[in-house]
Amino acid sequence: MKLHRDCALATGVIFAIAVTVCVITATVLLVTRRDDASTGSQPATTSPATEPRAGCNGVEEACALPLTRMSFVGAHNAGGSSFACLEFTNATTGEPANTCNIAQYFPVECTFGNQHANLSALLAMGVRWLDMAFVGYNPVDPTQAYTAHNSDTTEFGIAYGDSAAAVFETVGSFLSLSMNRNEVVVLWLKAGEMDEAIQQPDGPNGYNSFYDTLRNSTAARFLLGSPSINSTTGNFSWPTVGDLVHTDKRLVVMGWPTIPADIGVNSTQWLVDSWSNGQNASALESEAKSACVKGKPVILQEVLSFNGNCVETRAANEVFPIIDSVVESCENIFLTILTDFLSENSTVFDLVVQSIKSRS
């Protein structure tokens, strides 16, 4: 399978930015909208005596389901509201340079950011799948990993966001609040898409250092790590979502590059994405079903389009006819609706609630 690669294509005044629908085994979708969404830039460190939502991620029936039969409302490039083009001095020429090449043509927010709300606000409104790309460093600060988004590095460039340390602390702070003790979060890593440093194990910008940052954060105590392997099937034995809540292992890390067993699971080999299938719904459906019969979980990604003003040009509910037949025919579908420019009033939340009721 091909690995999904974020990109933005500019043609006239219209360009496409990925709005992803990821599917891994799901007959139930798992996240409902929270009414206490915040737009503050910093995670809360204290909370009033607020009772947690009933069930798991707000759904009673979800607690009994294995993780691989769950789904989440997710944010593509979560935390992208902080992305910016950076000015720096080219080490070779000594000339001033900018990490973005097309900021003068298209808004950075649309081309690179993909979200209006920051990470804390996304979590507060009910987002439980965080799709994030990391690089080992940025040109201004070479000492640590940062979130980033490339839109074809040779043509459009790269914008950079928060440090990995800040991201992990935000997630850890959210999970630490008593009102969130029934919430499970998935962190989908796309580390290494844009630079070679984080794809290497060693050095200050390698992936060992990156994962040490997570181990040393407040999020570390919630890590599920890698599930055990079933000796008969050779597949992972995934816990139920209720087990994750009861054991307080409520942070699931998946994606790439090499992920240590104490952190999470390498799972990009499960990826089936619409970009690799020419955004052809029929081809996407066919590949997903073919992958499913092999007995492995499938992550299905569907790409929607936005124009240069960050306006959705294809309704979110259009993706459900594409994925419904896959979900119905495959036991190993974990469904996540991964969306750009999420708000608490997004139609995605309503679609998730409808799906929960119809599949529970």
Side-chain angles (χ1 to χ4, degrees):
M1 299 181 199
K2 296 182 179 179
L3 176 66
H4 170 66
R5 181 183 180 184
D6 294 319
C7 57
L9 303 178
T11 304
V13 295
I14 306 284
F15 64 90
I17 290 181
V19 172
T20 312
V21 173
C22 298
V23 179
I24 312 177
T25 30
T27 52
V28 175
L29 301 176
L30 170 59
V31 176
T32 56
R33 173 175 51 221
R34 293 189 68 99
D35 292 327
D36 57 347
S38 166
T39 55
S41 59
Q42 298 296 327
T45 55
T46 60
S47 173
T50 305
E51 287 298 313
R53 294 191 294 175
C56 300
N57 284 23
V59 180
E60 289 281 3
E61 297 85 350
C63 296
L65 295 175
L67 186 62
T68 47
R69 293 178 63 84
M70 299 307 303
S71 290
F72 304 78
V73 170
H76 171 230
N77 277 329
S81 63
S82 66
F83 284 2
C85 300
L86 303 181
E87 295 182 351
F88 67 103
T89 300
N90 188 296
T92 303
T93 66
E95 297 293 324
N98 194 297
T99 62
C100 302
N101 302 327
I102 62 164
Q104 67 270 37
Y105 301 118
F106 297 109
V108 173
E109 180 180 40
C110 302
T111 312
F112 298 100
N114 302 139
Q115 298 295 337
H116 298 303
N118 62 34
L119 186 56
S120 295
L122 289 171
L123 287 166
M125 70 176 69
V127 172
R128 296 295 177 266
W129 178 291
L130 306 176
D131 168 90
M132 309 188 81
F134 290 89
V135 293
Y137 60 93
N138 71 36
V140 176
D141 179 11
T143 66
Q144 59 181 322
Y146 282 84
T147 57
H149 184 194
N150 70 320
S151 294
D152 187 337
T153 54
T154 58
E155 184 176 358
F156 299 153
I158 303 176
Y160 297 88
D162 296 321
S163 68
V167 168
F168 299 148
E169 288 303 319
T170 297
V171 174
S173 294
F174 173 83
L175 292 172
S176 297
L177 295 177
S178 60
M179 65 180 289
N180 296 325
R181 65 174 178 264
N182 292 340
E183 308 297 323
V184 175
V185 173
V186 174
L187 177 59
W188 174 258
L189 298 178
K190 297 179 293 184
E193 283 191 327
M194 290 155 280
D195 73 351
E196 295 182 1
I198 203 170
Q199 297 182 41
Q200 307 303 316
D202 301 319
N205 307 115
Y207 60 73
N208 284 335
S209 177
F210 172 76
Y211 292 125
D212 281 343
T213 301
L214 177 51
R215 292 185 181 99
N216 294 326
S217 73
T218 56
R221 71 183 182 91
F222 301 106
L223 286 169
L224 169 65
S226 178
S228 59
I229 302 293
N230 185 302
S231 58
T232 302
T233 65
N235 295 328
F236 289 116
S237 296
W238 291 94
T240 66
V241 179
D243 289 337
L244 299 181
V245 170
H246 294 314
T247 60
D248 217 20
K249 298 301 181 182
R250 296 180 285 116
L251 178 58
V252 182
V253 179
M254 296 190 290
W256 74 300
T258 303
I259 299 179
D262 67 313
I263 298 292
V265 179
N266 291 294
S267 50
T268 52
Q269 70 271 22
W270 304 333
L271 187 64
V272 178
D273 69 280
S274 60
W275 198 267
S276 301
N277 285 280
Q279 297 185 343
N280 182 290
S282 177
L284 182 68
E285 180 180 338
S286 176
E287 184 181 351
K289 289 183 176 179
S290 176
C292 181
V293 298
K294 298 176 183 178
K296 301 292 184 180
V298 176
I299 303 170
L300 177 64
Q301 294 189 339
E302 167 64 15
V303 178
L304 305 182
S305 298
F306 288 82
N307 67 20
N309 294 319
C310 310
V311 176
E312 188 176 1
T313 59
R314 184 178 176 193
N317 59 10
E318 291 182 40
V319 305
F320 275 88
I322 297 172
I323 64 177
D324 272 350
S325 63
V326 181
V327 171
E328 291 173 2
S329 64
C330 180
E331 285 296 309
N332 289 321
I333 298 293
F334 181 165
L335 180 63
T336 299
I337 306 177
L338 204 64
T339 307
D340 285 355
F341 307 113
L342 273 163
S343 71
E344 60 181 307
N345 297 318
S346 172
T347 58
V348 172
F349 290 100
D350 293 329
L351 290 170
V352 167
V353 171
Q354 294 171 22
S355 296
I356 291 173
K357 293 179 179 179
S358 65
R359 294 173 178 170
S360 61

